[in-house]
PDB file of all heavy atoms in Angstrom:
ATOM      1  N   ALA N 620       1.955  19.639 -43.617  1.00  0.00           N
ATOM      2  CA  ALA N 620       2.161  19.161 -44.989  1.00  0.00           C
ATOM      3  C   ALA N 620       1.443  20.034 -46.010  1.00  0.00           C
ATOM      4  O   ALA N 620       1.868  20.111 -47.170  1.00  0.00           O
ATOM      5  CB  ALA N 620       1.688  17.713 -45.116  1.00  0.00           C
ATOM      6  N   GLU N 621       0.383  20.699 -45.598  1.00  0.00           N
ATOM      7  CA  GLU N 621      -0.347  21.575 -46.513  1.00  0.00           C
ATOM      8  C   GLU N 621       0.519  22.708 -47.029  1.00  0.00           C
ATOM      9  O   GLU N 621       0.259  23.252 -48.108  1.00  0.00           O
ATOM     10  CB  GLU N 621      -1.584  22.150 -45.800  1.00  0.00           C
ATOM     11  CG  GLU N 621      -2.619  21.102 -45.416  1.00  0.00           C
ATOM     12  CD  GLU N 621      -3.749  21.697 -44.591  1.00  0.00           C
ATOM     13  OE1 GLU N 621      -3.708  22.934 -44.345  1.00  0.00           O
ATOM     14  OE2 GLU N 621      -4.658  20.950 -44.191  1.00  0.00           O
ATOM     15  N   VAL N 622       1.554  23.076 -46.285  1.00  0.00           N
ATOM     16  CA  VAL N 622       2.432  24.181 -46.685  1.00  0.00           C
ATOM     17  C   VAL N 622       3.868  23.702 -46.896  1.00  0.00           C
ATOM     18  O   VAL N 622       4.817  24.484 -46.831  1.00  0.00           O
ATOM     19  CB  VAL N 622       2.383  25.319 -45.645  1.00  0.00           C
ATOM     20  CG1 VAL N 622       1.023  26.001 -45.662  1.00  0.00           C
ATOM     21  CG2 VAL N 622       2.699  24.800 -44.247  1.00  0.00           C
ATOM     22  N   GLY N 623       4.064  22.397 -47.119  1.00  0.00           N
ATOM     23  CA  GLY N 623       5.387  21.866 -47.438  1.00  0.00           C
ATOM     24  C   GLY N 623       6.339  21.767 -46.269  1.00  0.00           C
ATOM     25  O   GLY N 623       7.560  21.765 -46.451  1.00  0.00           O
ATOM     26  N   LEU N 624       5.802  21.655 -45.058  1.00  0.00           N
ATOM     27  CA  LEU N 624       6.638  21.567 -43.867  1.00  0.00           C
ATOM     28  C   LEU N 624       6.347  20.263 -43.121  1.00  0.00           C
ATOM     29  O   LEU N 624       5.343  19.598 -43.356  1.00  0.00           O
ATOM     30  CB  LEU N 624       6.388  22.764 -42.944  1.00  0.00           C
ATOM     31  CG  LEU N 624       6.705  24.142 -43.529  1.00  0.00           C
ATOM     32  CD1 LEU N 624       6.230  25.238 -42.591  1.00  0.00           C
ATOM     33  CD2 LEU N 624       8.199  24.276 -43.808  1.00  0.00           C
ATOM     34  N   ALA N 625       7.244  19.912 -42.190  1.00  0.00           N
ATOM     35  CA  ALA N 625       7.072  18.690 -41.410  1.00  0.00           C
ATOM     36  C   ALA N 625       7.642  18.897 -40.013  1.00  0.00           C
ATOM     37  O   ALA N 625       8.635  19.595 -39.831  1.00  0.00           O
ATOM     38  CB  ALA N 625       7.778  17.516 -42.090  1.00  0.00           C
ATOM     39  N   PRO N 626       7.021  18.277 -39.007  1.00  0.00           N
ATOM     40  CA  PRO N 626       7.536  18.362 -37.639  1.00  0.00           C
ATOM     41  C   PRO N 626       8.517  17.237 -37.362  1.00  0.00           C
ATOM     42  O   PRO N 626       8.639  16.283 -38.129  1.00  0.00           O
ATOM     43  CB  PRO N 626       6.274  18.174 -36.792  1.00  0.00           C
ATOM     44  CG  PRO N 626       5.460  17.208 -37.608  1.00  0.00           C
ATOM     45  CD  PRO N 626       5.731  17.556 -39.049  1.00  0.00           C
ATOM     46  N   MET N 627       9.214  17.322 -36.224  1.00  0.00           N
ATOM     47  CA  MET N 627      10.143  16.270 -35.816  1.00  0.00           C
ATOM     48  C   MET N 627       9.396  15.207 -35.010  1.00  0.00           C
ATOM     49  O   MET N 627       9.683  14.937 -33.852  1.00  0.00           O
ATOM     50  CB  MET N 627      11.291  16.857 -35.003  1.00  0.00           C
ATOM     51  CG  MET N 627      12.221  17.715 -35.830  1.00  0.00           C
ATOM     52  SD  MET N 627      13.696  18.247 -34.920  1.00  0.00           S
ATOM     53  CE  MET N 627      14.567  16.699 -34.699  1.00  0.00           C
ATOM     54  N   SER N 628       8.418  14.598 -35.654  1.00  0.00           N
ATOM     55  CA  SER N 628       7.607  13.574 -34.990  1.00  0.00           C
ATOM     56  C   SER N 628       8.348  12.250 -34.948  1.00  0.00           C
ATOM     57  O   SER N 628       9.354  12.053 -35.634  1.00  0.00           O
ATOM     58  CB  SER N 628       6.282  13.409 -35.734  1.00  0.00           C
ATOM     59  OG  SER N 628       6.505  13.115 -37.101  1.00  0.00           O
ATOM     60  N   GLY N 629       7.814  11.333 -34.155  1.00  0.00           N
ATOM     61  CA  GLY N 629       8.399  10.004 -34.071  1.00  0.00           C
ATOM     62  C   GLY N 629       7.823   9.074 -35.124  1.00  0.00           C
ATOM     63  O   GLY N 629       7.190   9.516 -36.088  1.00  0.00           O
ATOM     64  N   SER N 630       8.003   7.788 -34.930  1.00  0.00           N
ATOM     65  CA  SER N 630       7.549   6.816 -35.923  1.00  0.00           C
ATOM     66  C   SER N 630       6.075   6.473 -35.775  1.00  0.00           C
ATOM     67  O   SER N 630       5.494   5.853 -36.664  1.00  0.00           O
ATOM     68  CB  SER N 630       8.385   5.539 -35.814  1.00  0.00           C
ATOM     69  OG  SER N 630       8.298   5.007 -34.504  1.00  0.00           O
ATOM     70  N   ALA N 631       5.427   6.848 -34.646  1.00  0.00           N
ATOM     71  CA  ALA N 631       4.025   6.531 -34.400  1.00  0.00           C
ATOM     72  C   ALA N 631       3.210   7.825 -34.422  1.00  0.00           C
ATOM     73  O   ALA N 631       3.309   8.638 -33.494  1.00  0.00           O
ATOM     74  CB  ALA N 631       3.865   5.818 -33.063  1.00  0.00           C
ATOM     75  N   PRO N 632       2.392   8.046 -35.437  1.00  0.00           N
ATOM     76  CA  PRO N 632       1.693   9.333 -35.572  1.00  0.00           C
ATOM     77  C   PRO N 632       0.556   9.541 -34.587  1.00  0.00           C
ATOM     78  O   PRO N 632       0.042  10.657 -34.469  1.00  0.00           O
ATOM     79  CB  PRO N 632       1.157   9.288 -37.004  1.00  0.00           C
ATOM     80  CG  PRO N 632       1.038   7.837 -37.321  1.00  0.00           C
ATOM     81  CD  PRO N 632       2.176   7.181 -36.605  1.00  0.00           C
ATOM     82  N   LEU N 633       0.151   8.504 -33.846  1.00  0.00           N
ATOM     83  CA  LEU N 633      -0.954   8.651 -32.906  1.00  0.00           C
ATOM     84  C   LEU N 633      -0.485   8.988 -31.492  1.00  0.00           C
ATOM     85  O   LEU N 633      -1.295   9.071 -30.570  1.00  0.00           O
ATOM     86  CB  LEU N 633      -1.796   7.373 -32.882  1.00  0.00           C
ATOM     87  CG  LEU N 633      -2.392   6.956 -34.234  1.00  0.00           C
ATOM     88  CD1 LEU N 633      -3.278   5.744 -34.061  1.00  0.00           C
ATOM     89  CD2 LEU N 633      -3.171   8.100 -34.876  1.00  0.00           C
ATOM     90  N   VAL N 634       0.807   9.206 -31.297  1.00  0.00           N
ATOM     91  CA  VAL N 634       1.366   9.594 -29.999  1.00  0.00           C
ATOM     92  C   VAL N 634       1.119  11.084 -29.765  1.00  0.00           C
ATOM     93  O   VAL N 634       1.147  11.889 -30.690  1.00  0.00           O
ATOM     94  CB  VAL N 634       2.876   9.285 -29.967  1.00  0.00           C
ATOM     95  CG1 VAL N 634       3.555   9.915 -28.765  1.00  0.00           C
ATOM     96  CG2 VAL N 634       3.096   7.780 -29.964  1.00  0.00           C
ATOM     97  N   GLY N 635       0.893  11.463 -28.507  1.00  0.00           N
ATOM     98  CA  GLY N 635       0.712  12.870 -28.175  1.00  0.00           C
ATOM     99  C   GLY N 635       1.987  13.673 -28.366  1.00  0.00           C
ATOM    100  O   GLY N 635       3.092  13.210 -28.044  1.00  0.00           O
ATOM    101  N   VAL N 636       1.846  14.889 -28.876  1.00  0.00           N
ATOM    102  CA  VAL N 636       2.991  15.749 -29.153  1.00  0.00           C
ATOM    103  C   VAL N 636       3.721  16.138 -27.870  1.00  0.00           C
ATOM    104  O   VAL N 636       4.952  16.046 -27.779  1.00  0.00           O
ATOM    105  CB  VAL N 636       2.533  17.014 -29.910  1.00  0.00           C
ATOM    106  CG1 VAL N 636       3.676  18.020 -30.027  1.00  0.00           C
ATOM    107  CG2 VAL N 636       2.010  16.651 -31.281  1.00  0.00           C
ATOM    108  N   ALA N 637       2.981  16.572 -26.856  1.00  0.00           N
ATOM    109  CA  ALA N 637       3.610  17.126 -25.654  1.00  0.00           C
ATOM    110  C   ALA N 637       4.467  16.096 -24.929  1.00  0.00           C
ATOM    111  O   ALA N 637       5.627  16.362 -24.601  1.00  0.00           O
ATOM    112  CB  ALA N 637       2.541  17.681 -24.713  1.00  0.00           C
ATOM    113  N   GLY N 638       3.919  14.914 -24.666  1.00  0.00           N
ATOM    114  CA  GLY N 638       4.679  13.895 -23.949  1.00  0.00           C
ATOM    115  C   GLY N 638       5.920  13.450 -24.703  1.00  0.00           C
ATOM    116  O   GLY N 638       6.978  13.231 -24.111  1.00  0.00           O
ATOM    117  N   TYR N 639       5.797  13.332 -26.024  1.00  0.00           N
ATOM    118  CA  TYR N 639       6.927  12.933 -26.869  1.00  0.00           C
ATOM    119  C   TYR N 639       8.064  13.956 -26.767  1.00  0.00           C
ATOM    120  O   TYR N 639       9.227  13.603 -26.544  1.00  0.00           O
ATOM    121  CB  TYR N 639       6.439  12.789 -28.305  1.00  0.00           C
ATOM    122  CG  TYR N 639       7.513  12.673 -29.362  1.00  0.00           C
ATOM    123  CD1 TYR N 639       8.026  11.434 -29.728  1.00  0.00           C
ATOM    124  CD2 TYR N 639       7.994  13.803 -30.021  1.00  0.00           C
ATOM    125  CE1 TYR N 639       8.995  11.335 -30.720  1.00  0.00           C
ATOM    126  CE2 TYR N 639       8.955  13.713 -31.005  1.00  0.00           C
ATOM    127  CZ  TYR N 639       9.460  12.468 -31.350  1.00  0.00           C
ATOM    128  OH  TYR N 639      10.415  12.370 -32.326  1.00  0.00           O
ATOM    129  N   ILE N 640       7.729  15.229 -26.910  1.00  0.00           N
ATOM    130  CA  ILE N 640       8.761  16.268 -26.879  1.00  0.00           C
ATOM    131  C   ILE N 640       9.358  16.413 -25.488  1.00  0.00           C
ATOM    132  O   ILE N 640      10.577  16.577 -25.333  1.00  0.00           O
ATOM    133  CB  ILE N 640       8.192  17.606 -27.371  1.00  0.00           C
ATOM    134  CG1 ILE N 640       7.934  17.534 -28.886  1.00  0.00           C
ATOM    135  CG2 ILE N 640       9.146  18.758 -27.056  1.00  0.00           C
ATOM    136  CD1 ILE N 640       7.390  18.810 -29.487  1.00  0.00           C
ATOM    137  N   LEU N 641       8.528  16.351 -24.450  1.00  0.00           N
ATOM    138  CA  LEU N 641       9.052  16.512 -23.096  1.00  0.00           C
ATOM    139  C   LEU N 641       9.985  15.374 -22.720  1.00  0.00           C
ATOM    140  O   LEU N 641      10.828  15.528 -21.822  1.00  0.00           O
ATOM    141  CB  LEU N 641       7.903  16.602 -22.094  1.00  0.00           C
ATOM    142  CG  LEU N 641       6.982  17.819 -22.250  1.00  0.00           C
ATOM    143  CD1 LEU N 641       5.887  17.797 -21.198  1.00  0.00           C
ATOM    144  CD2 LEU N 641       7.779  19.107 -22.170  1.00  0.00           C
ATOM    145  N   GLY N 642       9.869  14.226 -23.387  1.00  0.00           N
ATOM    146  CA  GLY N 642      10.798  13.126 -23.164  1.00  0.00           C
ATOM    147  C   GLY N 642      12.033  13.197 -24.049  1.00  0.00           C
ATOM    148  O   GLY N 642      12.874  12.304 -24.011  1.00  0.00           O
TER     149      GLY N 642
END
Side-chain angles (χ1 to χ4, degrees):
E621 295 174 1
V622 291
L624 299 172
M627 291 187 68
S628 55
S630 57
L633 302 184
V634 169
V636 172
Y639 167 89
I640 289 181
L641 296 180

